[in-house]
Amino acid sequence: MDPNTHRGPEEYGEQDHPAEPPAPAFGGAQGGSGGLARVVRLVSGHYLVTVNPVDGSEIEPCPPGERPAAPGKLDPQERAAAARAAAPPLPPGPPGFAGHETVLEERTEDTERLVRLLSRGRSVRVTGPSGSGRTRLLDAVATACADLAPDGVVRLSGYHRTATDLLYALFAAVHRAPQHRPERPELLRMVAEIGAIVVLDDLEFGGSALDELLDATPECAFLLAATPDVAAPSAASHLEEVFLGGIGRDACVRLLERAVDRPLTDDEQAWAADLWFESEGLPLRFVQAAALLRQRDRMSSAPGALDDGYGLFPEKTPEDDAAAEPGERPDVPLPSLGEAAAPAPLLASRLSAAARESLRFAVALGGELPHQAHLPALTEDTHADAALGALLACGLITPVGGHYRLAATVQDQLTAAGYAEGAATRAHTAAQHYAWWAGHPSVTPERAAAESDVALAAMGVLTGSRESGHASAAVLLARTAAPAFAAALHWSAWERSLRHGQEAARLAGEVAEEAYFHHELGVLALCTGSLDRARAELEASIGLRGVLSDRNGAVAGRRALALVTDRSRAASAATTAVPQAAAGAPQPVGPKTPAAGSPDAVSTAKLRVPRAEETAATVAARNAAGTAASTAATKAVP
């Protein structure tokens, strides 16, 4: 599959870009795809990082001429374009075919309440089980709140994201800062000025981590969505809580009737009532039940009606045509309650072979479904991209972030039905495909980062496998994808891919690759301020490269290690200056300091203007000493 002809640009928001996107710079070494290896330069805080896929990244203090301009805010049109690019791809076929735009049932009051709370600047957490319609509710609220905040509505995904990841994602969604990753103090200063309605789906943390996110964004109102198993927010967060359960029996019947476009028979209504009681009214279960009824209708119709042209139903075989007499309509019974309670195997058995093979790949990758543009190559079926619409219409997959994954409980149902057989082999195939694709010069880092969850899932499966060649495939994929994740500023994926690659290289005995991953982890730790970890990783890399007589790699490692040493010395000097200042540094000549215990003692100590040559640490220490002395004197007054 040529990435220039199967790249799916509209799904990635690149309709107006050339087929061969220009890269910032190119090195002279050969990349994994046989072309020139892409070298990207980016600024991280005070450092200039050169992401080199061949020899390893280089890091140096950023020269004054390389420092980026102050980030500016995106205008509404740019924010809208970025939001469209980050949304999951639409399935092929006529509008509304997939049925993913289902009408909200019995959620009008919830929607109006959430809009009222957000308009008052309150943050809300919506808690509901998987399949309760949280994402659809968030979509409706986000549409109604489009004009409430100066920076609009920002949609974020908490799937596999930490609080720090979300802060950087919020910064990138509002600001224009290409190839620039600010240090944390600068990041906190800029996100504190953002005034937006932040709609955050699939939140995976609570407690102090959630407090960190909320405290850093005082001008934002958050609409959070999480499942009941996620840690609760702290009492200090002052979040409004809204619990989302199932919908009523009548609403479920209306959902089914709209989906099948006809009234339900008496038997079907009784069947729906039993399913409503068993499922507690979860909307996802009735989306799947509607797909069962549509399949039953088509199986009961005239011969040839099963072929809808989009792969939702398999083609009629000659045996099927011979079994059905002319003019006879087969009597297809309703699925049993057990089949309706766990419908994934029955639904999948009536889909096309390409759709079933796509499900097998998703099961092999821990539930992550590859982008539809990759399905033809993975399944070896040129029409496999149409499987996305079929799977979405059946409720077997659900959007998460910018891609799709298996819906709740579908992974377990398909595994029990045998869809996990050959999972390691399929993960190996996916890893080889993505290693070729991510290293191709026409694939931008942002497009590679959009597939990070699928690539990381393949790495994880292969790293845990002990079959021959799987660890080496994981090394190749990590070696190719990690530089793209770094260049796209998706650094949590960068770190995870490096750790997968380091472990896989150790298992495969590929010492040179293990040294590369240690070096990259050291550069990443230096950028994030983890000096001890950076030193350990870089020393390990230098040692391995010394054994391999890799002079260029060892030199790059020593340069990075020298920066770690300089940074450590500066931090140590700042730490040493604090107790010296607290012990009593000479006071500047000026107005007489108020006596201890006087009303102005504390405020004067806090507001004293420092001299230009004084360090921030010295000023902080002096202020702390003045406050402590004032407090002690106040207590001494009878």
Side-chain angles (χ1 to χ4, degrees), residues 7 12 14 21-26 37-42 51 53 179 437-452 480-491 493:
R7 55 194 297 266
Y12 289 94
E14 297 177 3
F26 289 89
R38 186 168 42 226
V39 176
V40 178
R41 293 158 64 90
L42 55 91
V51 180
Q179 307 301 326
W437 176 77
H440 198 280
S442 68
V443 177
T444 63
E446 290 73 20
R447 288 174 57 209
E451 289 288 279
S452 61
T480 308
F485 298 160
L489 299 179
H490 191 356
W491 282 16

Side-chain angles (χ1 to χ4, degrees), residues 545-572:
R545 284 173 163 172
V547 172
L548 297 171
S549 300
D550 181 1
R551 174 177 291 184
N552 292 337
V555 168
R558 291 192 186 97
R559 288 175 179 169
L561 188 58
L563 282 179
V564 174
T565 302
D566 292 343
R567 184 86 176 261
S568 299
R569 288 174 179 171
S572 177

Side-chain angles (χ1 to χ4, degrees), residues 343-358:
L346 180 58
L347 287 169
S349 67
R350 296 171 175 175
L351 298 180
S352 66
R356 293 195 298 272
E357 185 64 14
S358 299

